[in-house]
């Protein structure tokens, strides 16, 4: 056991976060996302929701400040208004002293981006259009 690491951050995810470098991307995928057909590196966090995982990751990893949008969200379809979970994401990012600047990608564009991500984290998140991509930043000595 380690202090200050949320229980939803598995040893495998911690290893992936440590391996990632500046500008590498991590997909947090909802329960409907076709992860296995979009990336070979998959971290399974079944039974966990994305907000809990996002909060744990943001405690450990800075977002990229050298790009306009260090966050990507999958644009919702007409059947769903702006997903409520996006508001939760904004709260968590802001709470972690990052700036919430998101790029909104069509489903097809999001899938293509996921193929080039460092890894995909699969979850049991049930909210529709809850998929999010995080671009890793740098630790600044200070």
């Amino acid at each position: 056991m380690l202090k200050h690491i949320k229980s939803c951050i598995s040893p495998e995810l911690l290893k992936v976060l440590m391996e990632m470098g500046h500008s590498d991307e991590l997909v947090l995928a909802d329960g409907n996302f076709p992860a296995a057909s979009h990336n070979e590196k998959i971290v399974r966090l079944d039974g966990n929701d994305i907000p809990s995982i996002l909060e744990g990751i943001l405690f450990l990893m800075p977002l990229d400040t050298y790009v306009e949008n260090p966050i990507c969200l999958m644009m919702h379809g007409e059947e769903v208004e702006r997903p409520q979970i996006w508001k939760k994401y904004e709260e968590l990012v802001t709470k972690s002293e990052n700036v919430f600047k998101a790029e909104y990608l069509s489903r097809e564009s999001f899938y293509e981006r996921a193929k080039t991500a460092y890894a995909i984290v699969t979850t049991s998140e049930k909210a529709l259009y809850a998929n999010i991509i995080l671009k890793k930043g740098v630790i600044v000595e200070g």
Side-chain angles (χ1 to χ4, degrees), residues 45-59:
L45 291 182
D46 303 294
N48 290 284
D49 61 31
I50 292 178
S52 297
I53 297 164
L54 178 62
E55 183 176 34
I57 288 171
L58 292 173
F59 182 77

Side-chain angles (χ1 to χ4, degrees), residues 25 27 33 38 72-75 103-117 131 133:
E25 293 184 331
V27 178
F33 192 84
H38 284 76
C72 293
L73 298 169
M74 181 187 286
M75 193 60 194
E103 177 180 4
Y104 300 89
L105 301 173
S106 69
R107 183 174 54 156
E108 295 77 21
S109 295
F110 194 98
Y111 285 171
E112 287 304 310
R113 187 86 164 257
K115 289 178 182 178
T116 64
N131 304 302
I133 297 174

